[in-house]
Amino acid sequence: MQKKLKELNDTLEGFVDQADYLTLVVGADDGTAVMVLSALQGLDQKNGADVFVVIPDETGPAPAYLTAMATRIESERMVVNDVLEAEGKPPWPEIPVLCFDARQPDGERLHALVEYVRARMPEGDHRLVWALMPTAIKDQAGYAQIVGLLVPRGEIQPWMRGARFLVRDDRAQPFITPALKKMQAPGVLTYAPDFSPAGVEAALNDEAADESASVGQRMTSLLQLAALDYSFGRLEPAIEKYRVLMAWFQQTGAKEMQGLCLQGVGDILRRIGNKAAAKEKYEQGMLLVADSQAFVVTLNLAVSLGDTCLDLGQLEQAHGYFQLGDQIATKIINPFVKADCLEKLGVVHERRGELGPAAKIWTDAT
């Protein structure tokens, strides 16, 4: 998995740094698109010299998709202006009305939007990275129409200079790449990373079997494979992997990782209906990480213990574990798990017949 992520990051960074190609077409399923978006975010944070415009919005008809682009850049403009105001600097001007007007030609709207951002860029040798990486392609024709506007036909147009355009294609059924090959579009690269479940599993198996890698790296891959086995219902292989992992982490004294393994084993036992044994494994994991700074591992164990105690009708214990989960989620600023713990605390109150406290805590969660 680490090799695949490195390949993705290196490919994106290499595309931005080179000057021979204007457009990179990335073949991706919806899950891979999320991985690419994450990589672009990391590259943006790492690369202080260039300006990144990343559009993750779902595709629709071309005019609506352009409006979504303009709306996203408008939200960025408002954030930038708050910073500029705090620094006593003049704000960015409003985006041209043309960019929001669906009645106007698509090309004119897109060019105006790109030129607006280009005009805001600092002086010097800076590149504009414009990435269309929709998390879902709902309208192939409309999306292809917009992508076609980002591909040079002959000489590179003035508004394209210094830009790098990154666009998504459908990995399973590509429709952008064949069209570009047919029109012999110049300055186009293609790349198809495989972050599908099968692709990820194959990469993890390769890494776990790689004798040139450190044992620690191989164990990390094995841990991810155990989680994949569990998610696909391959419980016996998952248990076997957790046994190997547990022995290694006991040998190295890594208590937090032992707690993670016990969490996995507990999840398997709970899934097959052995809730009492699952609780025992969760408790063993909790004892190992109780005095550590492994807040995420402790949080997961606390929530799992709360759920299991709730299933077993052990309401007092469930209440205590959900309270602990609420406290840790607050500490690490995770509002989603906090709300989940509050909801379940309300369930405990409801089962006790304490409807008023249940209603209050659910309101707090909301």
Side-chain angles (χ1 to χ4, degrees), residues 325-327 329-330 334-343 365:
D326 174 37
Q327 292 165 6
T330 302
N334 188 326
F336 308 106
V337 178
K338 179 177 176 64
D340 187 45
C341 289
L342 289 173
E343 177 189 5

Side-chain angles (χ1 to χ4, degrees), residues 18-148:
Q18 58 80 44
D20 296 324
Y21 297 90
L22 182 71
T23 307
L24 173 64
V25 181
V26 180
D29 55 26
D30 291 350
T32 300
V34 175
M35 301 295 289
V36 176
L37 286 167
S38 178
L40 285 168
Q41 182 182 34
L43 185 57
D44 186 12
Q45 294 170 348
K46 174 183 174 182
N47 184 341
D50 301 323
V51 174
F52 285 71
V53 174
V54 180
I55 311 295
D57 303 77
E58 294 182 354
T59 66
Y65 190 47
L66 283 166
T67 300
M69 275 193 231
T71 301
R72 183 163 292 277
I73 293 171
E74 169 64 14
S75 67
E76 293 289 337
R77 183 185 79 91
M78 295 174 67
V79 172
V80 169
N81 279 351
D82 287 342
V83 175
L84 293 174
E85 182 181 3
E87 296 176 350
K89 297 177 181 179
W92 280 16
E94 292 186 0
I95 297 174
V97 175
L98 164 68
C99 298
F100 294 94
D101 191 346
R103 299 168 299 178
Q104 303 303 317
D106 297 332
E108 292 183 18
R109 295 177 66 196
L110 180 60
H111 298 172
L113 201 53
V114 173
E115 289 292 359
Y116 172 82
V117 176
R118 185 195 298 281
R120 312 278 85 75
M121 291 174 64
E123 294 182 4
D125 185 19
H126 303 282
R127 289 158 297 200
L128 173 60
V129 181
W130 199 282
L132 303 184
M133 190 51 55
T135 51
I137 300 175
K138 300 292 189 182
D139 185 327
Q140 288 190 353
Y143 178 62
Q145 190 173 334
I146 299 302
V147 171

